[in-house]
Amino acid sequence: MPQIRFYVTADKAAADACYAAVETAFEDLGTPVSLAEIDEAKAIFEVSAYVDAPDGEEAERLFAGAIAEAGGGEICREDLPDKDWMADVLAALKPVRAGRFLVHGAHDRNKVKTNDLAIEIEAGQAFGTGHHGTTAGCLETIARLATRRKPRNALDLGTGSAVLAIGLAKLARVPVLATDIDPVAVRVARANVEANGVANFVDCATAIGFGAEAIRERAPYDLIVANILAGPLMKLAPEFHRHLAQGGDIVLSGILTTQRNAVLAAFRNQGLYHVATLVRGEWVTLHLR
């Protein structure tokens, strides 16, 4: 589907304010939002939001409102062609190592070593290839955690490509429920689960937050993994507590380093306490118990 990119350029301080406002405006929609330095010498940054073309009018209204709230700026629009950008990008991506895991495409199967826990993820319509700092951070944290405290029942909330659910199943060989708000992502997740040979361990379901019968039926969980966004995570903190087994663990990501303390505070209010933080670039992965 063709996409539209709305963007604005500004100095660092103004760009940070714009990024925060745009991220807040779009956080419940799952819209990709980025902040990138485009001119190092002049310290000029660009804030962008990527939306499907049919949603362009409403997205432009949201983007314009966010930029105005942040202090204003000239809003630009770029119409992107209907192209499988993910396929183009993944063709050039190298395998990613995170702990014992190796996330790779079919073209890199020869890179898998004897003791690797290999996860094969092809280009698709769902988030999670292992190359983003949040996904890799979750995998590394899961690898550390599951070897010391093997869960008996796990939930991957906002599963995307199911890369984390597949990793859990391969590492711990335990039942995992993988859920996502997007039915397309759930279809992609099921296909990836089958392709990685863990269909006996991983079930996939469509769910908005914790609001699905499949989630309630299998609760409580010894481990809940959620790589989404900081805003939804904080809103869902009471639900994490409600669905977690006594002494259970939570792994959270999709969190910028600047958002870490706010997320920790929201979960601390629910009696869920910080165990460890893993930093990858501007992103953090949190382990709570």
Side-chain angles (χ1 to χ4, degrees):
M1 179 181 296
Q3 287 195 318
I4 301 170
R5 179 172 77 102
F6 295 106
Y7 63 97
V8 64
T9 57
D11 61 31
K12 183 64 166 65
D16 283 343
C18 289
Y19 178 77
V22 170
E23 185 183 41
T24 299
F26 285 96
E27 65 180 353
D28 291 333
L29 303 177
T31 301
V33 176
S34 68
L35 172 63
E37 187 174 30
I38 60 171
D39 189 330
E40 184 177 359
K42 297 180 181 179
I44 299 298
F45 290 76
E46 191 171 82
V47 178
S48 302
Y50 296 80
V51 301
D52 292 335
D55 302 323
E57 186 174 335
E58 174 64 12
E60 186 170 17
R61 184 188 65 79
L62 284 174
F63 192 84
I67 298 303
E69 179 184 332
E74 183 180 353
I75 297 171
C76 301
R77 168 179 172 150
E78 179 184 12
D79 291 288
L80 304 173
D82 187 4
K83 181 178 179 180
D84 192 345
W85 296 99
M86 184 68 80
D88 282 0
V89 171
L90 284 189
L93 289 178
K94 296 179 180 179
V96 171
R97 291 193 177 276
R100 290 185 58 198
F101 296 109
L102 180 75
V103 186
H104 65 91
H107 57 288
D108 278 321
R109 287 175 183 165
N110 63 326
K111 304 290 178 59
V112 179
K113 298 179 181 178
T114 303
N115 294 322
D116 285 340
L117 288 173
I119 304 173
E120 186 171 304
I121 302 292
E122 284 303 299
Q125 295 171 283
F127 174 81
T129 65
H131 295 83
H132 195 275
T134 60
T135 311
C138 283
L139 285 171
E140 189 169 336
T141 301
I142 288 168
R144 293 177 183 176
L145 170 62
T147 54
R148 297 194 302 267
R149 292 167 56 88
K150 182 177 178 179
R152 294 166 296 177
N153 183 26
L155 171 65
D156 177 11
L157 187 76
T159 192
S161 68
V163 61
L164 301 181
I166 293 166
L168 266 170
K170 289 201 170 195
L171 179 65
R173 312 301 286 180
V174 297
V176 184
L177 177 61
T179 68
D180 201 282
I181 191 173
D182 182 1
V184 173
V186 173
R187 289 198 298 271
V188 172
R190 286 197 183 104
N192 287 334
V193 166
E194 290 280 352
N196 281 271
V198 291
N200 290 339
F201 293 97
V202 181
D203 292 322
C204 302
T206 303
I208 299 174
F210 286 86
E213 186 177 350
I215 293 178
R216 294 190 295 271
E217 285 178 347
R218 297 171 65 149
Y221 299 90
D222 300 307
L223 173 61
I224 302 177
V225 181
N227 180 16
I228 46 180
L229 293 170
L233 286 174
M234 290 188 284
K235 291 176 185 176
L236 289 170
E239 294 295 320
F240 276 89
H241 178 263
R242 193 170 295 121
H243 290 81
L244 189 68
Q246 183 69 30
D249 295 281
I250 297 176
V251 175
L252 306 175
S253 200
I255 306 163
L256 292 164
T257 54
T258 55
Q259 299 168 327
R260 173 183 177 273
N261 291 340
V263 174
L264 287 176
F267 280 80
R268 192 181 305 116
N269 288 338
Q270 301 300 321
L272 299 164
Y273 294 94
H274 177 250
V275 176
T277 296
L278 189 153
V279 181
R280 277 180 174 256
E282 62 180 341
W283 302 94
V284 297
T285 299
L286 304 178
H287 173 200
L288 310 176
R289 183 173 300 147

